[in-house]
Amino acid sequence: MMNPTTMMKIMQAQKTFTTNHPKFMAFLKYVFSQKMEPGTVIEITVKRPNEDAVTSNLSIMQSDLDLVESLKDLQA
């Protein structure tokens, strides 16, 4: 069981993140509002100041979806 103080800190940090990055949170909400299926590609690019962008991607496999479901079951 999580410490109530820690839980409050996490909730405040999440609220701050959402306030600072509303478009990103809306994007995540949209993406995860639909069921993921095998073959879905997730791509991420990181661009640091004064550096070239670095991009990677992964194609979702059924085993990835099974893992996510198993992790959800742990929370119940």
Side-chain angles (χ1 to χ4, degrees), residues 59-75:
S59 181
I60 298 294
M61 300 170 71
Q62 184 60 50
S63 61
D64 302 322
L65 298 173
D66 294 344
L67 172 62
V68 171
E69 286 305 312
S70 295
L71 293 173
K72 285 181 187 178
D73 292 343
L74 289 176
Q75 291 182 330

Side-chain angles (χ1 to χ4, degrees), residues 8-73:
M8 293 299 290
K9 286 180 182 179
I10 291 170
M11 290 173 63
Q12 183 58 46
Q14 188 270 335
K15 183 178 178 183
T16 300
F17 186 88
T18 300
T19 300
N20 290 341
H21 310 287
K23 290 181 181 179
F24 183 71
M25 295 306 293
F27 168 78
L28 290 179
K29 186 175 181 178
Y30 169 75
V31 168
F32 291 106
S33 69
Q34 300 173 30
K35 184 178 177 182
M36 287 284 168
E37 59 186 85
T40 299
V41 176
I42 297 175
E43 184 171 272
I44 185 167
T45 299
V46 176
K47 171 71 174 92
R48 293 184 176 102
N50 303 314
E51 291 185 18
D52 292 336
V54 178
T55 301
S56 184
N57 65 53
L58 62 98
S59 181
I60 298 294
M61 300 170 71
Q62 184 60 50
S63 61
D64 302 322
L65 298 173
D66 294 344
L67 172 62
V68 171
E69 286 305 312
S70 295
L71 293 173
K72 285 181 187 178
D73 292 343

